[in-house]
Amino acid sequence: MMSLWKDIVFGRQNGFRQKVWQMFRSSEDTSPSTSYSAPISEPEWESTTLEAPKDITPPDGFEVVLHKDALENNQMTEVIIAGSSIALCNLDGEFYAISSVSSGGGPLVEGELKDGIVTCPYHGWEYDIRTGVCQTKPTVKLQTYEVVVEGVGVCVRV
């Protein structure tokens, strides 16, 4: 039970909330009463990410959201496009985009992606990332978004 509360408050081990918590945790004393100078290098989590390429011209109606090498196989990430929270998934080199919020309000990007099915970490409902159809309750369907890869850029239709 304590593990569940910990997951709810701090997020899953590799989830978005956990990354945010780690940004604010620091073992260094940075209070004004101590001598402190800002680190010269970027934080480790920033230096390992690949930004969306800026030299790509997306097709009409699309936005470049990610470098194609920034997302490993069978992994997901959350992107915000035109005010919509979208889960971008890499399934064996093919990219798919689906609403990042389950029908029950859970953050799908903190769930597990396996064989094209993402499981909501809060409710356990399973969604097919290719179609948006809920495998637990087939009458429920999440919004999907068209994705194309232009050069090294992953583009999503907005």
Side-chain angles (χ1 to χ4, degrees):
M1 184 69 167
M2 187 61 146
S3 175
L4 175 65
W5 282 107
K6 183 179 175 187
D7 283 348
I8 290 171
V9 173
F10 297 108
R12 299 206 178 245
Q13 184 176 4
N14 295 320
F16 177 75
R17 282 179 282 153
Q18 186 63 232
K19 290 178 185 176
V20 171
W21 275 106
Q22 289 174 354
M23 286 178 9
F24 293 105
R25 280 193 293 199
S26 175
S27 59
E28 298 179 63
D29 183 5
T30 60
S31 62
S33 63
T34 62
S35 175
Y36 176 77
S37 61
I40 296 173
S41 64
E42 295 180 354
E44 183 179 328
W45 64 272
E46 282 185 41
S47 63
T48 59
T49 60
L50 295 171
E51 289 186 15
K54 297 184 183 8
D55 58 344
I56 302 287
T57 303
D60 285 342
F62 285 79
E63 272 195 44
V64 180
V65 295
L66 194 70
H67 190 287
K68 72 176 187 171
D69 296 332
L71 192 58
E72 296 180 20
N73 279 338
N74 301 308
Q75 296 294 313
M76 303 179 282
T77 192
E78 182 179 39
V79 295
I80 307 294
I81 306 172
S84 297
S85 177
I86 298 172
L88 189 62
C89 311
N90 180 349
L91 180 63
D92 300 323
E94 293 289 323
F95 291 89
Y96 299 92
I98 188 171
S99 171
S100 71
V101 180
S102 76
S103 57
L108 291 179
V109 293
E110 292 184 17
E112 179 182 1
L113 175 63
K114 185 175 181 184
D115 299 326
I117 305 295
V118 61
T119 304
C120 175
Y122 289 178
H123 309 98
W125 284 22
E126 298 177 332
Y127 299 90
D128 187 321
I129 63 168
R130 297 167 287 249
T131 64
V133 174
C134 180
Q135 305 300 293
T136 311
K137 188 174 183 180
T139 57
V140 175
K141 182 179 180 197
L142 296 179
Q143 183 172 356
T144 58
Y145 301 86
E146 186 179 351
V147 179
V148 295
V149 176
E150 289 286 325
V152 295
V154 179
C155 308
V156 176
R157 182 182 293 276
V158 291

